[in-house]
């Protein structure tokens, strides 16, 4: 069983996801984007305990709500991040570049890596290392729920930008092909911005990495 609450928060409309195993009340936040008190209130209303914060990557708009959540909870939740994004995390998620100074919250103590299996109640969640948008970007795949949280790797009909520090286009495309397009077609993709989509839709229609791009010469 999995319950999911989606929030759109902050200056660049980032998706934050509160997911819980309702039988135990155990909850985690994937990308506590902004306004942590809103996420916290939603958890408390449902009697869920937020035990961990999982970051797809450390950009400011994905971690900006972490401090408010951590300050309100005892014990504070542990944060999980890939080590390649720690420099970005220490730099406040690069927010200064956009005019946003944030408190990044608790220092990440759980190190994410390719193939790691995270647990939430009875659920297994697979970590897939998917750099390109940032050097330590990861995505979270829940096979039993047919859901993948893709952060800023891929969006409905779009992909993550690669012009920020540590971004790389070829790496991004390779991550999408090897870590997203290898998932079952009916897997729902919940990304860091915008609407949800599916593996099938993006493999077929994504204008940057979909089948139509590969066959562009034939048109
Ligand atoms: Zn980002
Ligand atoms: Zn973002």
């Amino acid at each position: 069983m999995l319950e999911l609450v989606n929030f759109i928060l902050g200056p660049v409309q980032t998706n934050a996801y509160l997911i819980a195993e309702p039988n135990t009340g155990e909850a985690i936040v994937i990308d506590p984007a902004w306004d942590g008190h809103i996420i916290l209130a939603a958890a408390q209303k449902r009697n869920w305990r937020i035990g961990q914060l999982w970051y797809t990557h450390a950009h400011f708009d994905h971690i900006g709500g972490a401090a408010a959540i951590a300050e309100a909870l005892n014990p504070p939740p542990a944060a999980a991040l890939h080590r390649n994004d720690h420099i970005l995390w220490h730099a406040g998620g690069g927010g200064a570049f956009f005019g946003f100074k944030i408190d990044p919250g608790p220092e990440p103590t759980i190190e994410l890596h390719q193939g790691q299996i995270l647990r939430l109640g009875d659920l297994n969640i697979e970590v897939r290392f998917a750099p390109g948008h940032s050097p330590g970007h990861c995505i979270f795949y829940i096979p039993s729920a047919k859901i993948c949280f893709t952060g800023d790797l891929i969006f409905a009909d779009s992909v993550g930008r690669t012009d920020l520090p540590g971004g790389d286009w070829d790496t991004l495309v390779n991550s999408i092909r090897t870590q997203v397009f290898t998932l079952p077609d009916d897997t729902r993709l919940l990304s860091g911005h915008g609407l949800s989509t599916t593996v099938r839709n993006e493999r077929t229609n994504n204008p940057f990495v979909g089948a139509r791009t590969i066959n562009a010469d034939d048109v």
Side-chain angles (χ1 to χ4, degrees):
M1 258 298 268
L2 168 75
E3 286 195 23
L4 186 153
V5 186
N6 176 202
F7 309 83
I8 300 169
L9 300 169
V12 285
Q13 306 240 298
T14 304
N15 285 317
Y17 299 96
L18 172 65
I19 68 171
E21 161 50 79
N23 294 329
T24 62
E26 266 184 86
I28 64 111
V29 182
I30 295 176
D31 290 352
W34 212 258
D35 291 331
H37 63 281
I38 293 176
I39 301 171
L40 199 60
Q44 285 169 344
K45 195 173 95 182
R46 294 166 174 81
N47 281 321
W48 294 349
R49 291 178 310 279
I50 298 172
Q52 296 185 353
L53 309 172
W54 298 348
Y55 304 148
T56 58
H57 64 300
H59 279 150
F60 74 99
D61 61 309
H62 293 254
I63 63 175
I69 294 172
E71 279 160 19
L73 295 176
N74 186 18
L81 180 69
H82 191 282
R83 83 166 104 99
N84 290 7
D85 261 22
H86 275 229
I87 291 172
L88 188 56
W89 185 88
H90 280 284
F97 184 73
F98 296 94
F100 296 102
K101 193 170 172 357
I102 62 150
D103 175 347
E107 175 135 19
T109 52
I110 301 169
E111 195 167 291
L112 300 175
H113 56 86
Q114 170 72 16
Q116 182 178 16
I117 303 295
L118 300 170
R119 303 269 304 169
L120 174 65
D122 290 340
L123 288 171
N124 285 339
I125 297 107
E126 180 188 334
V127 177
R128 294 183 158 219
F129 178 50
H133 172 70
S134 76
H137 196 292
C138 289
I139 62 176
F140 303 106
Y141 173 48
I142 311 180
S144 61
K146 297 186 175 181
I147 287 175
C148 186
F149 297 91
T150 57
D152 288 358
L153 176 64
I154 186 167
F155 309 114
D157 297 328
S158 188
V159 295
R161 58 192 289 181
T162 56
D163 59 326
L164 296 172
D168 183 76
W169 175 254
D170 291 341
T171 305
L172 180 97
V173 170
N174 184 58
S175 289
I176 292 171
R177 295 221 163 111
T178 61
Q179 304 304 325
V180 178
F181 287 179
T182 51
L183 298 173
D185 260 351
D186 58 348
T187 306
R188 202 149 60 99
L189 303 178
L190 302 180
S191 54
H193 303 272
L195 300 173
S196 70
T197 182
T198 63
V199 170
R200 178 184 293 109
N201 189 57
E202 296 317 308
R203 193 155 56 190
T204 311
N205 297 320
N206 190 293
F208 299 95
V209 286
R212 287 184 192 165
T213 316
I214 297 165
N215 297 325
D217 292 343
D218 304 337
V219 178

